[in-house]
Amino acid sequence: MLVAMENIIQSTATKKGKKIFGITFLGFFIWNTLCIYWVYNSLKTIGPVVAVPITLIPYALGPLLMSSACWLYYRFRLATNRTFGLFALVCFWIAYEYLHQTWDLNFPWMTLGNGFAVNHQWIQWYEYTGVYGGTIWIWVLNILIFLIYRGLSEAQTKPMLLKLMSALVAVLILPLSFSLYRYYNYSEQFDPADIVVAQPNIDPYAKEGDIPPMQQIQTLEHLSDSLAQPNTEYFIWPETAIADQRGLNEDLVRTNPYFTQIQQFLNKYKNGNVLTGSEDIKIYNSRKTNTASPLDSQGQFYDSFNSAINIENSAKVQFYHKSKLVPGAESLPFGDALSFMKPVFEHLGGAAGSYAGQEHPSVLYSQSGIGVTPVICYESIWGEWVAQSVGKGAQFIAIITNDGWWENTSGKDQHLEYAKLRAIETRRWVCRSANTGISAFINQRGDIVKQTQWWVKTAIKQDINLNSDLTFYVKYGDYLPKTGSFLAVLGILFIGTRVRLRRKVEKSTQQQNV
């Protein structure tokens, strides 16, 4: 892309900005679609043809933002030079990635730094930078290669080429060497906890209605009993393991038959806790929240939640409400502006716009004081959100998910790989329970220690090491993209100021000529 943009900039073509936007959009659209083709699988149930235009939104929105960053690079370079322009390009790109993580149409799946999940030995320094450190690393390496390539064609001086080559070697080798050293010398503190993860393998389209919730819970209990020991401290069950169409009323949970059934299961395990997914509701006598919907003619309202619940051998129950909601399927982006699309979104696995969340991440605690970060499905690609929970006292991470919507595609594999990044950033074990696979245990270095097969009913057990130390990333979060976004805003203001000054000069010149 750098070479293609440079060829356009150096050409005698007109409307270079438009050409740069077009060529980069095409390339990024192809790359984006090849990486997340599986999104279509989760939408095609509304109709193979109808799903195509809906699918184009995630396929094209990312490339649109990527191309905008490249266009801004061109505009900034017109006012400065190539060196400053390339620095600005990195800032514009970081700003796009951070925007795509924080706005209502969030989909940070294609953040460049995520790509190193398949080579986690290379990026152990994510405990200092998070995934945005990987994005910057990719860009700096590509820019140096690009400058060497251009230097050869532009007859660059030998000393300058040697400096660029030396810089390339240093930028490649130093982070890689540090990471490999850290990986092979990292040792976990011994603080074991016995964890069982269940994978019930229930078709996500059959969870509500076809299979009674009690039967689903019995399946999970049977799988958990098959591996549990008297000292097992946590049983991790997947997202929406309690799937009652009416919703589990949080205020009446202690009298709910599902809660009673799970507590009876825990009677065999003195220190046992069940962390399970559930679809919950809270009922109000007035419109207490912006997300509340009318319940009946008596003036009552309710909120629906995709939740994680911690149940123990006592009356204490802890709830966490999923907050990073899937645009369209679980939340309606930009509120009323897209209300006309609600009938379509209702087919995507949830009631569009009706799910509520919570402002801040939570830590759920066992009877013995073990803190766990509950992460529900889509939330596992938000490094800072998970880190904030760890910073509040969590000693391991529990990811509960339901990946069956994507079928047997690379989507489920990518989702699993991304969990390794959360382990490295926080230096916490990840215990991942997936309804249809893949469930896994991931250690503090990001190694997958155990995993299940796809679409298999099973359970796995592991003694994990708890950790209470805080990494640099846990303490400071996404400081890199926030800094890059601030610089990008300054760059955009600079471009805007230059454009206004140029137009003012052109207008003044025209008036003088008249």
Side-chain angles (χ1 to χ4, degrees):
M1 285 299 180
L2 287 169
V3 172
M5 288 190 292
E6 187 68 20
N7 289 339
I8 293 172
I9 292 171
Q10 297 298 336
S11 72
T12 57
T14 58
K15 299 182 179 180
K16 294 180 181 180
K18 184 178 180 180
K19 292 182 182 297
I20 285 174
F21 186 90
I23 192 68
T24 55
F25 178 83
L26 177 61
F28 290 135
F29 179 81
I30 294 171
W31 171 57
N32 213 64
T33 303
L34 290 174
C35 288
I36 59 169
Y37 68 93
W38 44 263
V39 171
Y40 173 79
N41 289 50
S42 64
L43 301 176
K44 66 182 182 182
T45 54
I46 65 175
V49 177
V50 177
V52 172
I54 303 297
T55 307
L56 287 175
I57 297 174
Y59 288 174
L61 185 56
L64 182 66
L65 296 173
M66 296 172 191
S67 300
S68 297
C70 294
W71 180 83
L72 286 169
Y73 154 68
Y74 166 70
R75 299 299 304 180
F76 191 88
R77 182 168 161 178
L78 286 178
T80 55
N81 56 40
R82 185 162 64 190
T83 301
F84 285 113
L86 290 171
F87 175 81
L89 173 58
V90 178
C91 295
F92 292 139
W93 188 277
I94 287 285
Y96 129 68
E97 289 189 342
Y98 192 58
L99 171 66
H100 214 21
Q101 173 184 304
T102 53
W103 68 337
D104 277 13
L105 289 171
N106 55 69
F107 191 68
W109 204 276
M110 296 297 291
T111 298
L112 287 179
N114 287 341
F116 288 114
V118 295
N119 300 103
H120 65 281
Q121 298 89 347
W122 297 4
I123 42 84
Q124 295 293 306
W125 38 269
Y126 274 19
E127 64 178 312
Y128 299 99
T129 69
V131 296
Y132 290 97
T135 294
I136 293 173
W137 193 33
I138 289 171
W139 267 115
V140 172
L141 287 170
N142 275 271
I143 286 171
L144 287 170
I145 294 170
F146 163 72
L147 290 175
I148 292 170
Y149 171 80
R150 291 300 303 182
L152 293 172
S153 62
E154 295 171 357
Q156 186 68 264
T157 62
K158 187 175 180 180
M160 179 56 68
L161 283 174
L162 288 174
K163 287 181 181 179
L164 290 172
M165 291 177 182
S166 299
L168 175 63
V169 171
V171 172
L172 176 63
I173 297 300
L174 292 179
L176 191 57
S177 298
F178 173 82
S179 183
L180 293 174
Y181 176 83
R182 180 72 169 143
Y183 177 80
Y184 288 109
N185 289 275
Y186 182 85
S187 59
E188 299 181 3
Q189 297 178 10
F190 185 72
D191 188 3
D194 186 74
I195 312 291
V196 171
V197 164
Q199 179 174 297
N201 197 45
I202 298 170
D203 190 319
Y205 296 103
K207 281 188 67 65
E208 293 189 14
D210 292 5
I211 304 175
M214 284 290 192
Q215 183 179 332
Q216 296 184 43
I217 293 173
Q218 288 170 359
T219 298
L220 287 159
E221 291 175 346
H222 176 73
L223 291 169
S224 300
D225 277 331
S226 68
L227 292 177
Q229 296 177 333
N231 66 336
T232 296
E233 294 184 90
Y234 260 105
F235 299 93
I236 312 295
W237 295 354
E239 180 184 16
T240 64
I242 304 176
D244 191 329
Q245 289 180 321
R246 297 169 297 178
L248 181 69
N249 190 332
E250 293 187 2
D251 295 323
L252 304 176
V253 64
R254 291 168 185 82
T255 60
N256 187 283
Y258 309 138
F259 173 80
T260 304
Q261 183 179 354
I262 293 172
Q263 280 217 313
Q264 290 175 350
F265 161 75
L266 285 173
N267 286 338
K268 295 171 283 187
Y269 308 101
K270 181 180 178 181
N271 296 319
N273 297 261
V274 168
L275 192 157
T276 178
S278 175
E279 292 186 315
D280 304 344
I281 61 170
K282 283 185 72 71
I283 298 175
Y284 318 115
N285 291 323
S286 61
R287 193 182 289 275
K288 190 174 180 180
T289 67
N290 293 331
T291 53
S293 301
L295 178 64
D296 52 34
S297 59
Q298 306 301 316
Q300 288 189 312
F301 296 81
Y302 74 99
D303 267 327
S304 298
F305 304 98
N306 185 348
S307 301
I309 311 176
N310 192 85
I311 300 173
E312 59 183 48
N313 278 307
S314 75
K316 184 179 180 182
V317 187
Q318 300 167 70
F319 292 91
Y320 165 73
H321 301 140
K322 182 180 180 181
S323 301
K324 302 301 181 183
L325 302 171
V326 180
E330 296 177 325
S331 68
L332 185 63
F334 309 115
D336 295 336
L338 294 179
S339 60
F340 68 94
M341 297 189 71
K342 281 188 177 181
V344 176
F345 289 143
E346 287 174 356
H347 292 277
L348 307 186
S354 66
Y355 279 103
Q358 60 184 62
E359 281 190 41
H360 305 288
S362 298
V363 181
L364 305 181
Y365 288 95
S366 70
Q367 300 174 79
S368 58
I370 298 173
V372 53
T373 293
V375 181
I376 303 176
C377 191
Y378 193 49
E379 294 181 318
S380 64
I381 53 177
W382 268 266
E384 187 176 52
W385 183 260
V386 175
Q388 287 174 357
S389 178
V390 169
K392 293 180 177 181
Q395 295 162 291
F396 78 96
I397 299 167
I399 296 177
I400 58 176
T401 186
N402 191 354
D403 293 345
W405 312 105
W406 309 331
E407 301 178 353
N408 191 13
T409 64
S410 57
K412 71 181 191 310
D413 303 306
Q414 293 169 13
H415 201 196
L416 169 66
E417 296 287 347
Y418 287 177
K420 294 155 65 176
L421 303 177
R422 307 292 84 84
I424 296 168
E425 290 166 346
T426 63
R427 295 303 181 188
R428 296 294 189 271
W429 273 77
V430 173
C431 306
R432 188 176 195 268
S433 173
N435 173 46
T436 49
I438 304 170
S439 302
F441 287 103
I442 303 171
N443 67 19
Q444 296 172 24
R445 297 191 308 178
D447 301 319
I448 298 177
V449 176
K450 285 182 183 176
Q451 72 176 75
T452 65
Q453 297 299 313
W454 165 255
W455 212 265
V456 173
K457 182 186 296 185
T458 187
I460 51 177
K461 185 179 82 71
Q462 179 70 36
D463 283 338
I464 70 170
N465 282 319
L466 306 174
N467 186 15
S468 297
D469 295 337
L470 302 183
T471 65
F472 186 90
Y473 181 72
V474 168
K475 292 178 181 177
Y476 299 104
D478 285 334
Y479 63 94
L480 284 176
K482 290 173 183 175
T483 302
S485 297
F486 174 74
L487 294 175
V489 170
L490 292 181
I492 293 170
L493 291 174
F494 174 75
I495 293 170
T497 302
R498 293 280 298 191
V499 169
R500 284 195 298 271
L501 286 174
R502 189 188 67 197
R503 289 176 179 173
K504 187 175 180 180
V505 170
E506 289 175 351
K507 184 177 180 180
S508 176
T509 302
Q510 289 174 356
Q511 290 174 347
Q512 289 176 3
N513 291 336
V514 172

